Amino acid sequence: MSQWFETVAEAHRRARKRLPKSVYKALVAGSERGSTLQDNIAAFGELGFAPHIAGLPAERDQSTTVLGRRLSSPVLISPTGVQAVHPDGEVAVARAAAEAGVGMGLSSFASRSIEDVIEANEETFFQMYWVGDRERVLARAERARKAGAKGLILTLDWCFAHSRDWGSPPIPEKMDLRTKLGFAPQGLLRPRWLYGFVRHGLPDLTTPNMVPPGAEAPTFFGAYGEWMFTPPPTWEDLAWLRERWDGPLAIKGITRPDDARRAVDVGADAISVSNHGGNNLDSTPASIRLLPAVVDAVGDQVEVLLDGGVRRGSDVVKALALGAKAVLIGRAYLWGLAAEGQAGVRNVLDIFRDGIDSGLMALGKSSVAELAPEDVIVPEGFTRTVPVA
């Protein structure tokens, strides 16, 4: 029980205590001033509940369907890049998610291959950036199909600002001997973390899901550089991919109602209201503030997901009440992974499950499908609507 924690905040505290300073700072950084990062979290605190006291349901059901997959929870693992907070990385996360019946999002920039992760969790969705020409994009999608991915998540909320990481340390291009020696003092101050990686080998910061056929896996910065210099996709490019990928497709990064409608037009099955966890264009409002307008714009034509600032089960309940089908969590499970590996991720997922259950009970709902806008107290001026010409 000494390894168990009762809140995501405690997982965060343990992760900060365990991780080397630069690794920890890479997890918590946001763009420029961090305005969006802070608003993502603060906005949930502005929303209120008015719980009932009698006639409450004795049993509550959290199961839902996302991208055609029946899942036990409306919480999904958001895809995040190289997970150097724990030696088992994405595989540990996938195993914990599988135990909890939770869908797994795997990043193109992950440190473990899609084949390894799907072996650990069959309910895996592969996330892609638009990197390289159309043939390269399609080749990665086909690899995901062959591996057994249940859908694609196409992430488009990234503007390559040079001052992207507010407070974030520089990330080394590769873990050569010189880099390891320079990193050694930080590692020695965190012996538990260092011991785990010494046993398994220090992370090499490569991206096995970005490797072209017959080539070695590029470094994180090699893949990032190619992405950075790839022209951003057009709506025609997205329609082209939709025509060639016949599985479920989600477009992640929506903040505007007009973009949401365009995503519907190109045939997306789901969209995610997202500002990349506060790491895209700073001063973008919190995702939860933008959610209602996006839901109003698309109705039931497409599943609407949300990510950004979700730290509690009550946050999930608020997002679902305002129209989201499910949420994706990022930093929360990474803190669990850093704190206690696979068990820590499962711990975090259980915390969310308990929080959602408490919210459903107090609001008198027997399932997450019953949540509605009237279950949330929304203060005047809370939502943000993008003006559209």
Side-chain angles (χ1 to χ4, degrees):
M1 290 301 293
S2 64
Q3 296 178 329
W4 185 259
F5 42 85
E6 296 185 354
T7 65
V8 173
E10 174 61 14
H12 185 182
R13 187 192 70 80
R14 294 190 190 188
R16 183 172 187 173
K17 184 176 180 180
R18 182 166 186 169
L19 293 174
K21 182 178 180 180
S22 60
V23 178
Y24 170 76
K25 290 181 70 176
L27 285 186
V28 298
S31 298
E32 296 183 340
R33 296 180 61 187
S35 300
T36 298
L37 173 66
Q38 295 166 27
D39 194 37
N40 272 346
I41 300 169
F44 278 104
E46 296 177 24
L47 296 170
F49 291 127
H52 296 285
I53 59 169
L56 307 180
E59 297 181 358
R60 282 79 59 190
D61 179 15
Q62 298 186 29
S63 64
T64 190
T65 302
V66 179
L67 291 174
R69 308 303 299 178
R70 190 68 178 173
L71 303 172
S72 69
S73 170
V75 175
L76 283 75
I77 296 296
S78 186
T80 61
V82 181
Q83 294 178 6
V85 301
H86 189 276
D88 294 334
E90 293 85 359
V91 170
V93 176
R95 289 171 178 160
E99 289 176 354
V102 167
M104 172 76 184
L106 178 68
S107 173
S108 289
F109 287 178
S111 61
R112 302 296 291 269
S113 73
I114 186 172
E115 291 81 8
D116 287 347
V117 170
I118 289 179
E119 184 178 354
N121 187 340
E122 293 183 355
E123 300 298 336
T124 294
F125 305 99
F126 185 58
Q127 176 269 344
M128 298 202 312
Y129 297 104
W130 195 271
V131 182
D133 58 23
R134 285 183 171 186
E135 286 66 31
R136 290 283 304 282
V137 171
L138 186 58
R140 286 191 292 275
E142 290 299 329
R143 177 181 171 184
R145 185 200 311 275
K146 184 177 179 180
K150 298 302 187 289
L152 292 183
I153 301 172
L154 187 61
T155 300
L156 301 177
D157 50 340
W158 195 269
C159 62
F160 299 107
H162 294 293
S163 54
R164 180 185 70 81
D165 286 333
W166 175 63
S168 178
I171 300 174
E173 182 175 353
K174 57 183 178 180
M175 291 299 290
D176 54 16
L177 179 60
R178 181 177 180 181
T179 301
K180 291 176 182 178
L181 290 174
F183 187 76
Q186 289 189 51
L188 291 173
L189 292 173
R190 296 292 186 268
R192 283 186 64 198
W193 180 90
L194 181 61
Y195 175 70
F197 274 102
V198 168
R199 288 179 58 202
H200 297 83
L202 288 172
D204 57 9
L205 298 182
T206 59
T207 54
N209 296 310
M210 295 294 292
V211 58
E216 292 185 359
T219 64
F220 176 86
F221 267 102
Y224 186 90
E226 184 184 6
W227 176 32
M228 188 173 186
F229 291 103
T230 297
T234 64
W235 287 106
E236 289 74 20
D237 287 326
L238 304 186
W240 172 87
L241 179 62
R242 171 74 281 183
E243 290 175 0
R244 285 154 182 80
W245 171 262
D246 58 6
L249 174 67
I251 295 179
K252 182 175 179 290
I254 300 292
T255 60
R256 303 171 58 100
D258 53 349
D259 279 353
R261 287 188 287 265
R262 292 292 296 271
V264 172
D265 290 343
V266 301
D269 300 291
I271 57 175
S272 182
V273 180
S274 170
N275 50 48
H276 215 100
N279 277 301
N280 191 33
L281 184 62
D282 200 28
S283 296
T284 302
S287 300
I288 191 68
R289 298 189 192 278
L290 299 167
L291 176 65
V294 171
V295 171
D296 288 345
V298 299
D300 59 0
Q301 299 176 82
V302 66
E303 293 176 354
V304 180
L305 314 177
L306 175 136
D307 72 83
V310 180
R311 300 289 187 270
R312 300 170 180 82
S314 59
D315 296 341
V316 180
V317 172
K318 292 171 182 177
L320 269 55
L322 293 182
K325 188 70 178 294
V327 305
L328 297 98
I329 60 170
R331 290 179 176 90
Y333 79 80
L334 290 174
W335 292 330
L337 178 65
E340 298 294 344
Q342 178 180 334
V345 178
R346 178 60 193 271
N347 195 158
V348 165
L349 294 174
D350 287 344
I351 290 169
F352 275 101
R353 180 177 295 277
D354 290 345
I356 295 169
D357 187 64
S358 295
L360 291 177
M361 181 178 180
L363 293 172
K365 306 297 182 181
S366 60
S367 78
V368 292
E370 295 177 2
L371 291 167
E374 56 266 26
D375 295 316
V376 181
I377 300 171
V378 182
E380 185 177 354
F382 173 83
T383 58
R384 303 288 187 269
T385 302
V386 177
V388 179

